[in-house]
Amino acid sequence: MPNERLRTVMADAGWTYASLAERVAVDPKSVERWVNLGRTPRRGTAVRAAEILGEDLHALWPAFRRARAARASSPELVALYGQRADAPMSAFVDMLAQARERIDVLVYAALFLHEMYPRLNDLLRERAAEGCVIRIAVGDAGSDNVRARGQEEKFGHGIESRCQLALMHYRPLIGVPGIDIRTHGTTLYNSLYRADDHVLVNAHVWGVTAYRAPVWHLRRSGEGGMFDTYAESFDAVWSTATPVRHER
């Protein structure tokens, strides 16, 4: 069946088969087949096309929503996604919405959270009002490690701007009881999204943007496991992070 969502997005933005094909580096006939025959491109190609179009990968090609089955003996591993782009937004939102005691977020920017779920701040306020302790750590745009990440990913000063924008998104939460916002300048080996005994780990890869790096969903199972390793890592970063105050 035709991919009407893709057809509409292209038409609204003025893209032709040829112009999109040139940007994505494929044959125009391939783009035509995506639209008219409903063909699904390879994952890497689809990610590039979605980014160029400014659309959600899963909205354009729902087939990518399927998570890869976990192939491990660890009782903590719930799901494995080959790329963050493969993880449905519901994996993040549902986990945070179900938190009752603690939410921890450690990122440089992770703008996709607010972009894909505009109610994120409202959700966090609701969780805090119910007694949930919330800690958000975003990247210090002026830190050496943030600047180095931009160079490694060939993103230049864009990563610094994204850190600043992330902080702008979270600023309305400053002063809300139960919510603490800080900035950090540590080397970000993993982005962490924790809700009680569940955590989504976006494992970063040198030179690769976060949305193309793997994500695994862990559920705590006893003491001393993988979950606790990441929880302790978060606490170590948090102890060095700088609280964000109201602007005067």
Side-chain angles (χ1 to χ4, degrees):
M1 294 179 62
N3 188 330
E4 297 298 342
R5 171 71 176 180
L6 178 58
R7 188 195 307 278
T8 299
V9 169
M10 289 179 60
D12 289 347
W15 289 97
T16 65
Y17 298 145
S19 62
L20 182 59
E22 182 178 0
R23 286 291 306 278
V24 183
V26 297
D27 190 280
K29 290 183 178 179
S30 295
V31 178
E32 184 177 0
R33 286 191 285 268
W34 299 347
V35 175
N36 294 328
L37 301 180
R39 297 282 178 82
T40 300
R42 291 182 178 179
R43 182 178 289 105
T45 301
V47 169
R48 289 198 302 275
E51 185 177 24
I52 290 167
L53 293 169
E55 285 290 317
D56 176 30
L57 172 71
H58 304 112
L60 295 176
W61 291 286
F64 287 115
R65 287 187 180 277
R66 294 191 294 271
R68 295 183 180 179
R71 297 176 183 148
S73 59
S74 172
E76 293 186 282
L77 188 57
V78 177
L80 171 65
Y81 303 92
Q83 300 179 123
R84 195 191 72 197
D86 295 335
M89 192 61 197
S90 59
F92 294 86
V93 174
D94 292 350
M95 186 183 71
L96 296 176
Q98 293 168 16
R100 293 295 177 267
E101 298 179 359
R102 178 177 299 283
I103 289 175
D104 290 334
V105 175
L106 172 63
V107 297
Y108 272 164
L111 296 180
F112 76 97
L113 289 175
H114 282 96
E115 291 172 348
M116 299 299 296
Y117 189 69
R119 284 199 68 254
L120 180 65
N121 282 4
D122 292 334
L123 185 155
L124 295 176
R125 287 191 188 94
E126 292 165 4
R127 292 295 86 232
E130 293 294 327
C132 199
V133 176
I134 299 172
R135 301 183 294 179
I136 309 290
V138 300
D140 177 353
S143 71
D144 291 339
N145 283 319
V146 166
R147 286 193 289 268
R149 179 61 59 85
Q151 295 171 359
E152 293 163 5
E153 296 181 358
K154 296 181 175 58
F155 201 56
H157 295 291
I159 183 65
E160 298 159 42
S161 299
R162 292 173 73 82
C163 289
Q164 293 169 345
L165 182 55
L167 188 55
M168 289 177 59
H169 281 307
Y170 287 113
R171 274 198 177 278
L173 299 177
I174 297 174
V176 174
I179 300 179
D180 196 353
I181 312 294
R182 298 186 182 185
T183 59
H184 71 97
T186 62
T187 301
L188 191 66
Y189 296 106
N190 303 280
S191 291
L192 304 177
Y193 309 86
R194 175 188 177 181
D196 294 340
D197 287 342
H198 289 259
V199 63
L200 289 166
V201 180
N202 189 185
H204 297 299
V205 181
W206 195 94
V208 175
T209 52
Y211 68 82
R212 292 177 52 207
V215 169
W216 43 83
H217 179 176
L218 302 177
R219 179 180 57 232
R220 190 171 188 270
S221 178
E223 297 183 358
M226 291 188 293
F227 179 95
D228 284 352
T229 297
Y230 288 111
E232 292 166 6
S233 175
F234 180 95
D235 289 338
V237 173
W238 188 254
S239 69
T240 70
T242 302
V244 179
R245 307 300 184 191
H246 280 293
E247 294 181 325
R248 298 192 180 190

